[in-house]
Amino acid sequence: MAPNLIKPPRVQRLPDIVTVAEAQQLCSATRTLSYRVFFFTLYSLGLRLGEGLRLQVGDIGAERRRVHIRDAKCNKDRLVPLPAATLDLLRRFWQIHRNPVLLFPNRHGGLKGAGQATTPLDRGGVQVTLRQVA
């Protein structure tokens, strides 16, 4: 029988904060357009990875300059401000893939197949790409 041991508390470390210059370097070093736009959007809106992957075309409120984030932390919805540069970039990116639902469709069929994709970008693929770029 093991004695009653007291476990030390878990240490919670804060994530590294990326500066604007570092974010620009990451975006410019990313060769794949969909990942470049995705990284820029995450940084400019302050989103978590899962929140960015779940973004849909209908969540972008261009007239009010807000983005509706659904099922965020603790399954709560929230609205975040939409910068003009991000809106312009998202519009140009949507003109390329034209998926009626997903803002960041998967790339399995290339840009032509992205219009009919039913799943977003792969979480693992985004993480691997960011590690390679960093």
Side-chain angles (χ1 to χ4, degrees):
M1 187 174 193
N4 292 337
L5 297 176
I6 298 174
K7 295 181 180 179
R10 287 188 170 185
V11 177
Q12 291 186 349
R13 303 201 189 284
L14 292 175
D16 293 334
I17 298 174
V18 179
T19 65
V20 174
E22 291 171 337
Q24 287 174 339
Q25 285 179 332
L26 285 173
C27 287
S28 63
T30 306
R31 300 278 182 238
T32 307
L33 178 65
S34 55
Y35 290 136
R36 184 182 315 149
V37 174
F38 183 74
F39 295 151
F40 183 86
T41 304
L42 282 188
Y43 185 78
S44 66
L45 299 179
L47 302 181
R48 296 172 183 91
L49 176 61
E51 294 169 350
L53 291 173
R54 286 191 300 272
L55 277 179
Q56 296 184 355
V57 175
D59 294 337
I60 307 298
E63 63 282 345
R64 290 191 172 181
R65 302 268 182 180
R66 292 190 179 153
V67 178
H68 187 182
I69 308 300
R70 300 177 192 280
D71 298 327
K73 199 169 188 178
C74 300
N75 292 327
K76 293 182 182 178
D77 289 2
R78 62 186 170 113
L79 293 172
V80 295
L82 177 61
T86 306
L87 176 61
D88 182 49
L89 183 64
L90 289 174
R91 281 181 171 159
R92 286 186 286 142
F93 181 61
W94 187 83
Q95 290 293 328
I96 294 170
H97 70 74
R98 293 190 171 274
N99 188 296
V101 178
L102 298 172
L103 200 55
F104 297 105
N106 70 34
R107 302 176 47 249
H108 297 304
L111 285 177
K112 291 182 181 181
Q116 290 79 33
T118 57
T119 58
L121 286 173
D122 180 53
R123 174 184 291 265
V126 171
Q127 292 170 333
V128 166
T129 302
L130 185 59
R131 276 191 219 105
Q132 288 174 347
V133 169

